[in-house]
């Protein structure tokens, strides 16, 4: 496995992931032969629901660990959470690079408030719990935290 132009390039016979543009997904594959004149490698994917799939691939990456997959999922959740639903701003959500820095710094998606926490919040602010619950639910929904 070598690096070329900051892209991971597989060697013949290795097991890795290749992007299938027709299906628009990453698939676990085995590289069958060297690069063609167009930068493509013939690969074979074995998926339970698809059987064997032979295709030419140009975009490869090493197989991710479970921790890396969880990190990627957390980054995507953070990006999705910060997207504004109704905005006229040009920048309506954080970038992937910003999300990666936030996740790597230890941020995790907050959990919903328990009934006890809602009651304590209402008592502290001298709110009626029956009046504040819909307000809290609406605020959480606007922030994308309606779990």
């Amino acid at each position: 496995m070598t690096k070329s132009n900051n892209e991971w390039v597989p060697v013949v016979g290795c097991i890795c992931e290749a992007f299938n543009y027709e299906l628009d997904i990453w698939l676990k594959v085995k590289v069958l032969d060297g690069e063609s004149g167009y930068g493509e490698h013939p690969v074979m994917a074995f998926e339970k629901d698809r059987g064997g799939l032979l295709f030419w691939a140009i975009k490869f990456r090493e197989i991710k660990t479970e921790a890396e997959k969880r990190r990627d999922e957390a980054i995507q959740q953070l990006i999705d959470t910060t997207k504004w639903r109704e905005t006229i701003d040009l920048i309506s959500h954080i970038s992937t690079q910003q999300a990666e820095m936030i996740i790597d710094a230890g941020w995790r998606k907050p959990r919903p408030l328990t009934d006890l926490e809602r009651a304590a919040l209402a008592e502290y602010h001298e709110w009626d719990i029956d009046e504040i619950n819909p307000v809290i639910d609406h605020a959480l929904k606007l922030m994308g935290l309606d779990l």
Side-chain angles (χ1 to χ4, degrees):
M1 296 164 236
T2 61
K3 297 234 180 202
S4 170
N5 297 331
N6 292 330
E7 291 185 17
W8 189 78
V9 180
V11 295
V12 176
C14 86
I15 307 278
C16 59
E17 288 184 339
F19 190 76
N20 183 300
Y21 286 94
E22 186 176 325
L23 299 174
D24 197 32
I25 58 171
W26 287 92
L27 295 170
K28 184 176 177 180
V29 300
K30 181 173 184 176
V31 178
L32 301 176
D33 201 0
E35 182 179 325
S36 71
Y38 300 103
E40 301 173 319
H41 292 262
V43 296
M44 175 66 79
F46 294 97
E47 295 287 321
K48 291 178 184 174
D49 56 340
R50 292 185 182 90
L53 176 66
L54 178 65
F55 64 99
W56 290 86
I58 59 172
K59 196 171 180 181
F60 297 92
R61 67 182 183 196
E62 295 180 87
I63 294 176
K64 294 187 175 202
T65 65
E66 287 302 314
E68 291 171 324
K69 289 177 184 178
R70 285 193 304 274
R71 178 182 176 269
D72 289 348
E73 185 178 305
I75 289 168
Q76 190 58 51
Q77 281 181 346
L78 180 57
I79 291 170
D80 293 344
T81 298
T82 60
K83 288 183 181 175
W84 294 89
R85 271 98 182 134
E86 298 174 16
T87 183
I88 57 172
D89 296 336
L90 295 176
I91 301 172
S92 63
H93 63 279
I94 64 174
S95 70
T96 301
Q97 184 179 12
Q98 291 167 326
E100 288 172 351
M101 291 184 333
I102 292 168
I103 293 296
D104 291 343
W107 181 88
R108 295 299 175 258
K109 186 175 182 176
R111 59 172 175 70
L113 295 174
T114 64
D115 290 340
L116 184 61
E117 291 168 331
R118 286 174 183 247
L121 184 65
E123 182 179 329
Y124 176 80
H125 290 286
E126 298 177 358
W127 296 325
D128 180 6
I129 191 67
D130 294 325
E131 292 177 8
I132 195 59
N133 270 333
V135 174
I136 293 172
D137 291 338
H138 181 70
L140 290 173
K141 187 174 183 179
L142 288 176
M143 292 187 296
L145 300 175
D146 54 333
L147 302 175

